[in-house]
Amino acid sequence: MGVMDPAKANASKTTIAMVGDIYEPSTLLLSHLASYYQSPMLSAAVTADELSEPQHSYFLRLIPSATQSVEATVATMQQFKWRRAAVIIRADAGGQSLQKAFEAQAKQNGLELAFFFVDSSAASWRLEFERLHQSSYRVVVIASTPSQARLAAAGELGMLNNKEWAFIGLTWCDIPQSTVTA
């Protein structure tokens, strides 16, 4: 995580701080500007591990990096003695980065992971939930931002509110509390 040196702060600057975008590519570019102008940049959404590198020293995270999230997920799996899991992951560069982190942790910890790739469309999520429903995996790691519409297929397939399935989320989602039961 980058830490700004207060001694480098310049009181005459008009830019006090920057807020990062929710998309990794633009945040990576903007982080270089933050470093150039020596202005802190905050992000509440981007998990890219690259932003932890020294050239992004003015970038400050409000959420864990991708690697930290994967490590916490693997620790949760170990706590519950889950050795196999399906990972629903974005079909983009950020997803590829997460997949590599998951693969490294799986190899290191003797886990079996299967990857199901989604884009932002509900149809993509439906297709992958249907494939997942037909598989033997019952622990599901959601490593992409779900929503009520995207999770509707899982509900229609009887995967939610069912003690046979366990879901672990890496990111926030806008699922109404009424759809979640113990």
Side-chain angles (χ1 to χ4, degrees):
M1 182 181 318
V3 177
M4 184 185 77
D5 180 359
K8 291 183 181 178
N10 181 345
S12 67
K13 292 187 287 186
T14 57
T15 303
I16 296 170
M18 299 171 67
V19 176
D21 197 354
I22 61 170
Y23 300 104
E24 290 176 14
S26 54
T27 298
L28 283 163
L29 291 172
L30 290 170
S31 178
H32 290 291
L33 282 175
S35 293
Y36 178 80
Y37 288 107
Q38 297 180 345
S39 293
M41 179 179 182
L42 304 173
S43 177
V46 176
T47 62
D49 287 322
E50 299 132 283
L51 289 163
S52 297
E53 295 173 1
Q55 66 266 33
H56 301 283
S57 60
Y58 284 82
F59 178 80
L60 304 168
R61 293 183 190 283
L62 299 178
I63 61 172
S65 69
T67 297
Q68 292 168 325
S69 295
V70 169
E71 289 170 353
T73 301
V74 167
T76 300
M77 290 178 64
Q78 290 174 322
Q79 177 68 32
F80 288 101
K81 298 182 180 10
W82 295 332
R83 308 304 304 160
R84 303 175 71 239
V87 181
I88 298 176
I89 201 160
R90 299 184 322 254
D92 62 12
Q96 289 174 348
S97 175
L98 270 175
Q99 181 182 3
K100 288 178 186 174
F102 269 113
E103 288 171 341
Q105 285 289 317
K107 184 176 181 178
Q108 182 179 344
N109 293 286
L111 302 176
E112 178 187 328
L113 301 177
F115 295 92
F116 294 76
F117 297 94
V118 294
D119 58 30
S120 61
S121 72
S124 167
W125 283 72
R126 172 173 291 285
L127 177 66
E128 293 307 301
F129 275 125
E130 288 171 353
R131 287 185 53 229
L132 179 55
H133 190 261
Q134 297 302 315
S135 77
S136 62
Y137 292 95
R138 291 300 175 260
V139 175
V140 181
V141 177
I142 299 183
S144 182
T145 306
S147 67
Q148 185 176 5
R150 293 174 184 162
L151 289 178
E156 291 167 9
L157 292 167
M159 296 168 72
L160 301 179
N161 301 326
N162 181 331
K163 294 182 188 211
E164 185 178 328
W165 293 85
F167 285 84
I168 304 171
L170 280 171
T171 60
W172 62 271
C173 61
D174 60 353
I175 303 168
Q177 189 63 31
S178 62
T179 63
V180 180
T181 61

